[in-house]
Amino acid sequence: LPVPVGEWKTADRAEHILRASLPADMPSGLFNTPVYVATDTPRFPHHRFFARGEVKAPYKVETPDGSTTLTMTPGVEAFTLKIRGTGPISNPSATAEKGIVTAACTLDSDNTLLLVEVRAAEPLGEGRHMEILRVSFLLGGKEFVEPVPVKLFILNRGEENLP
């Protein structure tokens, strides 16, 4: 969208406002995402810039190592994802897109802490496996779905696979 001439920051330099929509399933927290804009300049047919911001939610997601991706390495049988709500959480569920992991949801006594225990599904072949775990719940009368990337590293040393 063109910016009116009287609002330009630099005289004789046209300005435009770009609007971008975030995906509906974007996880909560800070983001720094590249955005590509097509131009009519032959030397620069595409211009890349970074959209920075924060998706705010009435809850906080906590992973065991503090990262945005759950990583299960050999020797780890399960890990727990925590979601802390600003109020009572209800109707929790967790679904794995590919079925590579299984997840069980429990709530604490005041229903403000959702614990999601994640385990590798059996049997998995050796190597690295990628999964998206979608945790859904109600909070303040609104449904939320938090996508959580999961990485699993499976070793097979002639024994049972270790998650």
Side-chain angles (χ1 to χ4, degrees):
L1 301 171
V3 173
V5 176
E7 297 177 20
W8 291 355
K9 293 180 181 170
T10 304
D12 299 328
R13 292 203 170 214
E15 295 181 18
H16 293 79
I17 295 174
L18 301 174
R19 294 182 196 246
S21 298
L22 300 174
D25 65 347
M26 192 160 180
S28 61
L30 297 174
F31 66 88
N32 186 13
T33 304
V35 176
Y36 296 88
V37 176
T39 72
D40 58 2
T41 304
R43 287 185 58 202
F44 303 103
H46 297 94
H47 180 69
R48 181 182 80 166
F49 64 93
F50 286 88
R52 294 175 178 92
E54 181 178 7
V55 175
K56 294 187 178 183
Y59 59 87
K60 182 90 171 155
V61 178
E62 300 171 12
T63 59
D65 63 359
S67 71
T68 57
T69 301
L70 293 175
T71 303
M72 186 178 287
T73 55
V76 176
E77 292 184 20
F79 49 82
T80 302
L81 173 72
K82 297 177 183 179
I83 297 178
R84 292 185 189 279
T86 56
I89 295 172
S90 61
N91 297 350
S93 67
T95 307
E97 289 183 351
K98 299 176 187 173
I100 291 173
V101 297
T102 60
C105 297
T106 56
L107 290 166
D108 69 347
S109 61
D110 64 356
N111 293 338
T112 58
L113 178 62
L114 170 59
L115 302 171
V116 183
E117 185 178 272
V118 182
R119 294 182 175 277
E122 296 293 334
L124 286 176
E126 187 173 39
R128 183 174 90 163
H129 302 272
M130 304 292 284
E131 176 71 276
I132 298 292
L133 181 66
R134 296 197 181 281
V135 181
S136 61
F137 53 92
L138 293 175
L139 177 60
K142 186 174 178 185
E143 181 179 16
F144 292 93
V145 178
E146 183 72 21
V148 181
V150 180
K151 291 181 189 176
L152 291 100
F153 298 93
I154 306 296
L155 293 180
N156 185 352
R157 297 184 180 145
E159 307 169 354
E160 181 179 321
N161 278 339
L162 300 173

